[in-house]
Amino acid sequence: MKDIFSRVKGTTSVFTVIGCPVKHSFSPVIHNTMALVTGRDFIYTAMEVQSDCVQGAIKGAYCLGIKGINVTVPHKVAVMDLLCDIDKKARVIGAVNTLKYTEDGYVGYNTDVIGAGYAIKNKGYEIKDKTVLLIGAGGAANACAVTACDEGCKKLIIANRTEDKAKRLAKNISAFYDCEIETVSMKDLNSVDSCELIINATTVGFGDKAGLSPIEDKSFYKAKGVEFVFDAIYTPWETQLLKDAGEQGVETLNGFSMLIYQAVAAEEIWFDEKYSKELQEELCEKLSKYFRENC
């Protein structure tokens, strides 16, 4: 109890995540752990906000001086009209997940992009000048596409079950980035000449699709020169995609570190300070151990 009383004072800043539902959110564990590790004077909580209350919630949070807000489903688009400014990457994606308090109002960012980049780079893999195969064309794929282009990939190939959706995503990304982009339907995946990095941004491998992989042909990895596979899913910890790729000698990474690093990116925005790679890796190690033991 002594630690609790010493932590929360009249000077303590408040940060929160809003969404509906939000009880399942791992963000309070992440950010309160980060507060302890960094020694910053803040607490972080979760607040369930219904869709018809978003405007009132943002206005009320600002009046209360809540310094930063994470936004999760279904409010990532709705909050955009309530902000004084929006970062370029968030505009490209068309959704925000992080709000920063300023004198003029909240400014919106999307740290999913930064989180994905940190996760892959901190694993020692560089996206620059690589051909990236992105599987999926939904919201998560949008963020991953921006990540790939922002990191300077040589070519981005977007594969989706419905190719028209992949083409819409390609058109959107092309409006902001000068990057070679191709699209392909999943049934024609073998027509891809080569790719060094694969990013899975679909739900194949999760929930009722656990045990399935978006790439069924295990020979694909060696045939296409795949070096690294990143799966945005982290439950289960090792998806079938990652298991198959690993068996073929490919380096793999699940999406848990992206979850941690997007939180790190949010705090870097809130506090105007870069966190060292060593601190990021310490947080990821502590939280991954906690997650696997308790969640």
Side-chain angles (χ1 to χ4, degrees):
M1 292 298 289
K2 183 179 179 181
D3 289 340
I4 295 174
F5 287 126
S6 63
R7 269 203 67 203
V8 183
K9 306 179 289 291
T11 57
T12 303
S13 298
V14 177
F15 294 80
T16 191
V17 57
I18 64 169
C20 188
V22 79
K23 292 178 182 178
H24 68 286
S25 176
F26 195 59
S27 291
V29 174
I30 296 173
H31 287 284
N32 287 311
T33 298
M34 291 169 75
L36 291 171
V37 170
T38 62
R40 293 192 185 278
D41 184 19
F42 76 88
I43 58 169
Y44 187 104
T45 186
M47 299 180 183
E48 185 161 307
V49 175
Q50 300 293 328
S51 294
D52 59 352
C53 296
V54 173
Q55 183 173 356
I58 297 301
K59 183 177 180 180
Y62 188 79
C63 291
L64 288 169
I66 293 178
K67 299 302 181 183
I69 302 173
N70 286 133
V71 184
T72 188
V73 292
H75 306 322
K76 290 186 176 185
V77 176
V79 298
M80 295 179 77
D81 291 335
L82 308 173
L83 308 177
C84 67
D85 197 11
I86 299 172
D87 177 71
K88 175 193 170 181
K89 292 173 188 173
R91 289 187 185 278
V92 178
I93 295 171
V96 303
N97 73 340
T98 299
L99 309 185
K100 179 179 181 177
Y101 184 99
T102 72
E103 290 183 356
D104 299 319
Y106 286 117
V107 177
Y109 301 82
N110 193 305
T111 62
D112 288 334
V113 176
I114 306 170
Y118 278 177
I120 295 171
K121 287 191 294 183
N122 282 359
K123 190 71 172 177
Y125 192 81
E126 290 294 332
I127 299 175
K128 185 175 174 60
D129 296 328
K130 299 296 174 62
T131 296
V132 179
L133 172 62
L134 172 62
I135 302 174
N142 202 332
C144 291
V146 172
T147 298
C149 293
D150 210 55
E151 292 292 333
C153 70
K154 180 174 68 176
K155 180 194 288 188
L156 175 64
I157 304 169
I158 305 174
N160 195 59
R161 185 175 57 83
T162 306
E163 192 175 359
D164 284 346
K165 192 172 181 180
K167 288 179 178 178
R168 287 196 295 271
L169 175 56
K171 183 178 180 181
N172 180 54
I173 300 299
S174 295
F176 294 90
Y177 290 96
D178 183 19
C179 175
E180 183 181 353
I181 304 177
E182 296 179 1
T183 64
V184 64
S185 67
M186 287 300 296
K187 64 182 178 63
D188 296 323
L189 198 58
N190 276 321
S191 67
V192 172
D193 290 332
S194 65
C195 58
E196 289 96 350
L197 171 62
I198 296 175
I199 300 176
N200 178 40
T202 72
T203 58
V204 178
F206 171 75
D208 60 358
K209 298 176 183 176
L212 301 179
S213 172
I215 299 178
E216 297 179 353
D217 182 3
K218 295 182 182 181
S219 68
F220 183 91
Y221 305 98
K222 289 184 177 179
K224 307 303 180 181
V226 178
E227 299 170 345
F228 195 102
V229 176
F230 173 71
D231 196 332
I233 297 169
Y234 55 88
T235 305
W237 194 257
E238 183 181 51
T239 60
Q240 191 64 44
L241 173 70
L242 297 185
K243 183 179 179 181
D244 291 346
E247 288 175 352
Q248 298 301 312
V250 177
E251 190 169 6
T252 64
L253 179 66
N254 72 18
F256 187 79
S257 56
M258 176 181 171
L259 177 68
I260 304 304
Y261 293 140
Q262 64 83 21
V264 168
E267 290 202 11
E268 290 180 334
I269 289 168
W270 291 333
F271 299 116
D272 294 312
E273 181 181 328
K274 286 290 183 182
Y275 286 5
S276 68
K277 181 180 178 181
E278 292 72 25
L279 178 58
Q280 293 179 40
E281 291 177 341
E282 179 187 351
L283 289 165
C284 203
E285 183 179 349
K286 285 179 181 292
L287 290 163
S288 63
K289 181 179 179 182
Y290 175 89
F291 181 84
R292 298 180 76 175
E293 290 176 352
N294 297 279
C295 300

